[in-house]
């Protein structure tokens, strides 16, 4: 439900915490799907997904670093939805996972872009030893 609906806001039992993280949801018709979690409270999760969810659908949401949470879809508006959980969770524990440590791959500069070992600039020549042209010869 939208935040602008005062009647809905007055029915809220628990303070919610805003989050923005990816999670997985197991749905009876759609199977495992990706969702975007927007907010979390002790007994509820608000999110978004691209699939059509029906009111009353039993779902299991897997949040990063948390045990799977069972619940049912209690409201839906467009792609947004709300799930009422069967057991309470601690919203402070629901966080985005730390970025995985990526192995540092050594980068090789392509051969034609590597610095040459020659230090002379192309097109410039030094004077070759020869006659001194400042003085006229007799």
């Amino acid at each position: 439900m939208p935040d602008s609906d005062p009647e809905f806001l007055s029915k809220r039992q628990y303070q919610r915490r805003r989050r923005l993280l990816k999670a997985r949801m197991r749905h009876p018709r759609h199977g495992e799907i990706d969702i975007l979690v927007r907010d979390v409270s002790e007994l509820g999760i608000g999110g978004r997904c691209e699939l059509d969810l029906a009111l009353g659908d039993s779902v299991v949401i897997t949040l990063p670093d948390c045990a799977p949470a069972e619940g049912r879809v209690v409201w839906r508006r467009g792609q947004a939805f709300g799930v009422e959980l069967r057991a309470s969770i601690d919203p402070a524990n629901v966080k985005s996972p730390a970025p995985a440590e990526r192995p540092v791959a050594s980068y090789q500069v392509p051969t034609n872009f590597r610095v040459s070992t020659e230090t002379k600039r192309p097109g410039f020549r030094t004077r070759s030893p020869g006659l001194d042209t400042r003085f006229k010869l007799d």
Side-chain angles (χ1 to χ4, degrees):
M1 287 288 153
D3 291 338
S4 60
D5 186 356
E7 183 181 330
F8 179 73
L9 292 176
S10 66
K11 292 179 183 178
R12 245 189 213 137
Q13 296 175 351
Y14 299 97
Q15 183 65 30
R16 68 179 176 167
R17 294 188 182 209
R18 294 220 180 260
R19 296 286 186 255
L20 189 60
L21 57 105
K22 290 184 177 183
R24 301 281 297 167
M25 181 166 63
R26 192 173 16 191
H27 191 273
R29 288 190 322 262
H30 304 297
E32 288 277 329
I33 58 174
D34 291 320
I35 62 169
L36 180 66
V37 173
R38 305 288 305 257
D39 55 70
V40 179
S41 70
E42 287 183 41
L43 286 172
I45 294 175
R48 297 179 66 86
C49 75
E50 296 180 2
L51 300 174
D52 185 30
L53 304 177
L55 297 179
D57 284 347
S58 292
V59 295
V60 177
I61 297 178
T62 306
L63 298 163
D65 297 331
C66 294
E70 294 182 22
R72 65 182 177 89
V73 178
V74 291
W75 65 265
R76 191 180 137 251
R77 184 176 211 177
Q79 292 182 336
F81 65 88
V83 172
E84 181 182 36
L85 301 176
R86 290 195 178 103
S88 69
I89 60 172
D90 184 4
N93 291 338
V94 179
K95 299 176 184 170
S96 293
E101 299 251 348
R102 295 183 201 138
V104 178
S106 61
Y107 177 73
Q108 293 281 333
V109 176
T111 308
N112 53 338
F113 294 109
R114 291 184 188 162
V115 177
S116 67
T117 56
E118 186 178 322
T119 58
K120 294 182 180 179
R121 292 175 54 189
F124 289 95
R125 293 189 188 144
T126 58
R127 263 186 163 191
S128 53
L131 292 173
D132 189 3
T133 57
R134 285 185 282 168
F135 299 103
K136 283 190 165 186
L137 293 176
D138 292 351

